[in-house]
Every structure is written in structure tokens, then in C-alpha cells.
Amino acid sequence: MSAHSKHVNADGSHGPLPPLHLPRRTRMLLWAALLVLVGAVAADVLAGPGVTLTPMLAVTPMVSAPATRNPRVPLATGAVAAVMAVLIAYFVDVALPISVHVASLLSIVAASLASAATVALMASRERELFHVRNVAEAAQRALLRPPPERIGQLRIAVRYTAAAAESRIGGDLYEVTETAYGVRILLGDVQGHGLAAVETAADVLGAFRAGSRIVADLAQLAERMDRIQASHAMQERFVTALLLEVPPTGPAKFVNCGHPPPLLRRAGRVVELKPPAAAPPLGLRHLAGGRYQAGLFEPRRGDLLLLHTDGVSEARDRADRFYPLAERLAALRASAPEDLLDLLLADVGRWAEHGLTDDAALLALRWDR
């Protein structure tokens, strides 16, 4: 960001924060509090000189505080409340002792100062959290580099969605790279979440990027990545992964390391590409045994292959039913990978009314020729 585009926030720091958004329930509660205050002032005026409700005006700056990041706002509303208290004392509550009016004014001043301090503190904490999230997002963008939209015969699109709206970092990973053996693709899901999962994702991506250019056999590449993952200190953190190789000619190969199978959509029908044999996730082969084997399929023009993590296939609706990914994929009319992924994510969002419980990564390929 250039120096000319910066501005100073209410808390004295530089750089814009996202717009403040209050949940609907919070807005309703604040409006209810405001109506109570208006009713109290009206009741005070109608009650005459023997009764006062002006101490309730001390709540005014507290009502305005949640709706702003500027500490001047509760100070200003407190000043308005103080003026109203003076006017009511002078014109309405003339029969009450001066000590009652002084107590009301002092209450308004104290509440205004406390509300302003709270707003300033919350704005500062929000800015710190905003910067931390931006750093995390930048780190993840550095790890998950966007693939090219087209490589030879392939048209490619990727989408990544965090389980929580406030989360910008997770353990799903993907990579697309051109090698002497063809286009090689990785889609994986690290066990767990947070920074530890991202560290593991970085290790897996590094192993794939280094090995995909020098290891000719795709199954041997998976074995190499498994050994690297198992050699790390955090051996209990495993990674489900799908490796795909699309050569310039001939059948495509895939190795499934304990990952949800990819879905092939061809002529309106969707089928799962199942591996020749079950294989464990990366980092667990030394415990579970078995070996990685490559499956084959012959792509045709117009085929669309969807790679996904279980954040999509395990999304649940209100009745606790899993999202029928294969059925919905067959029903979507979009042919362009990027359009199809947008429609698919929107459909998953409607299915999982309470949001995703896990991060979701989607990678779609279409053979154009």
C-alpha cells in the first residue's frame, strides 16, 4: 500500500479495517435499548417535577459504543445526554435537590469516559487481530500459489473456503506443476487445523514440488512424500492426498493416499475413480503397511475431473445428511471449471445451513481437446 493511500484510524494506527458489521440480533438489542431510553425521557417529562429518570441517560454512550470504532462517538453521545439532563433539570425536575442532578451528570460523564476507553481498546485489539489474519493469509497465499487457468489441453480452476468466516488459514493444500512427465497435480488435506497444520502442509508441498520433477513414477513419488512426512518430528499428523499426472498423450494416472476419490463427469454422468488398492495417508504407511499404486483412465474431450477434500463431501444439512456431491455435480450445467466450482460452493453453502465444519478445497480440470 502506498503512503498516499493510507489513512489514520480512530485508534491512531494506519491502514483501513474492514467495515464494521453488527449481527442482526445485536442491532435489535441496541435499538431496544434506545427505545427504552427514549421512553424514559418521555416518562420523566410527563411525570412532572417530583420524579426524575435522568440517571438512565448514562446508558446512552454505552448504547452507541458497540456500533463504532471511534471513541469520539460515545463521548459525543454522552455530551448530548448531559445537555438533555441539564435541560430536564432546569425546566422539568425543578423541585428535586441539586445533588440528584449532579449525581446524574457525574454518572453520564463516567459512563461516557468508560465507553470511549472500551471503544479505543477494542479497536486496537481488532486492528492487531486484523494484521495477524492478514499475515496468515499472506503466508497461505505464498504456500498455495494459484495455478494457471490453462495448461495445454487442460483448463484448471481452484477454490478454497475456510470452515469459519473469520478463519483464513487451514490445512488443505493443492499444487499444479508442469514437468517432463506431464502436468502433475496434488490435492491434500492435513489432519487438524491452525498453524501446525499449515507447517505440515508446507512440508508436503515442498516434498511434492521437489520430487515431481525428478521422480518418474507417480507411485514412487507418493512413497517418497510418505517417507519425508513420516520422518518429521510430528509423526502423528498425517495427510490424505491425491496425486494426478496428465501426460501430453496417453492415459492419465492417479495415486490415492487415503483421500476421497476424484469424480469424473463424462456425458452427464459422474463416476468415482477408485484406486487399484487401498493405501494409507502420507506419513502412516510405516504403520498401516501397503504400497501406493497408480490407477489409469483415458481422458476424452469434454471430460471434467473434480478433486476435493472431505470438507465438501462431509458437509451436513439440518437432518445430518452428507452432501451428495456426485449427484449434485452431475446436475450442474456449467462446463467451465471456474463457473462449476462457484455453483458447487454456493450449493454446498445452501445445503450446510450452519456452515462448513471443515475447510474445503476444490480443484477442477476439463479436457478441451
Side-chain angles (χ1 to χ4, degrees):
M1 182 179 293
S2 66
H4 297 291
S5 61
K6 289 183 178 180
H7 71 270
V8 179
N9 294 288
D11 60 352
S13 56
H14 291 269
L17 284 170
L20 184 63
H21 175 72
L22 295 178
R24 181 173 178 271
R25 182 176 298 180
T26 301
R27 295 197 305 269
M28 292 176 62
L29 290 173
L30 291 177
W31 277 110
L34 185 61
L35 291 175
V36 170
L37 287 175
V38 172
V41 172
D44 195 341
V45 173
L46 295 175
V51 178
T52 182
L53 296 176
T54 53
M56 289 190 62
L57 291 174
V59 180
T60 306
M62 302 178 190
V63 173
S64 65
T68 183
R69 294 192 182 102
N70 192 336
R72 297 186 183 93
V73 172
L75 292 176
T77 54
V80 172
V83 170
M84 292 178 62
V86 170
L87 292 175
I88 291 174
Y90 188 79
F91 292 105
V92 179
D93 299 331
V94 293
L96 294 175
I98 188 65
S99 59
V100 174
H101 303 307
V102 171
S104 297
L105 285 175
L106 291 178
S107 298
I108 294 171
V109 171
S112 300
L113 295 174
S115 298
T118 300
V119 170
L121 177 62
M122 295 304 295
S124 176
R125 296 286 175 83
E126 187 178 3
R127 172 155 296 282
E128 291 176 6
L129 181 59
F130 180 69
H131 285 316
V132 169
R133 288 174 175 169
N134 280 345
V135 170
E137 185 179 19
Q140 185 141 334
R141 281 201 307 266
L143 287 176
L144 304 179
R145 298 175 296 204
E149 295 182 1
R150 184 182 293 276
I151 301 179
Q153 61 181 326
L154 293 177
R155 188 168 175 177
I156 307 169
V158 172
R159 296 292 184 271
Y160 182 93
T161 301
E166 67 274 8
S167 174
R168 300 187 184 184
I169 193 163
D172 287 3
L173 56 100
Y174 56 83
E175 178 63 25
V176 179
T177 182
E178 292 185 84
T179 72
Y181 315 106
V183 178
R184 283 184 164 175
I185 296 171
L186 167 69
L187 186 81
D189 185 359
V190 179
Q191 175 201 17
H193 303 278
L195 292 175
V198 173
E199 182 180 0
T200 301
D203 293 335
V204 174
L205 286 168
F208 175 78
R209 289 164 180 164
S212 62
R213 299 181 183 278
I214 60 175
V215 180
D217 185 78
L218 195 65
Q220 292 180 4
L221 173 60
E223 292 176 359
R224 171 191 169 105
M225 294 172 62
D226 171 80
R227 289 193 300 270
I228 293 174
Q229 178 61 23
S231 67
H232 291 160
M234 297 183 65
Q235 295 185 8
E236 71 279 3
R237 192 173 294 277
F238 60 85
V239 183
T240 67
L242 186 72
L243 282 69
L244 178 70
E245 178 182 294
V246 183
T249 58
K253 302 176 182 178
F254 66 96
V255 174
N256 193 322
C257 310
H259 198 77
L263 299 175
L264 177 65
R265 188 175 79 172
R266 174 180 291 171
R269 297 183 59 190
V270 174
V271 295
E272 290 185 349
L273 296 183
K274 296 185 177 180
L282 300 176
L284 292 183
R285 196 166 64 95
H286 65 292
L287 298 175
R291 65 189 186 93
Y292 299 117
Q293 300 181 51
L296 302 175
F297 73 97
E298 190 72 44
R300 303 175 186 172
R301 180 181 179 183
D303 282 356
L304 187 138
L305 187 67
L306 178 69
L307 285 62
H308 62 93
T309 59
D310 57 12
V312 178
S313 56
E314 295 184 0
R316 299 172 185 262
D317 65 0
R318 184 176 296 180
D320 209 34
R321 296 174 300 177
F322 287 122
Y323 179 71
L325 179 56
E327 176 185 328
R328 297 302 180 98
L329 178 62
L332 294 176
R333 299 303 179 190
S335 58
E338 56 273 18
D339 295 337
L340 182 136
L341 293 188
D342 289 338
L343 290 175
L344 191 59
L345 280 176
D347 191 48
V348 173
R350 288 188 294 268
W351 177 272
E353 296 181 1
H354 301 294
L356 298 176
T357 58
D358 197 1
D359 299 333
L362 294 163
L363 192 151
L365 310 170
R366 193 185 74 186
W367 279 261
D368 280 351
R369 60 183 183 274

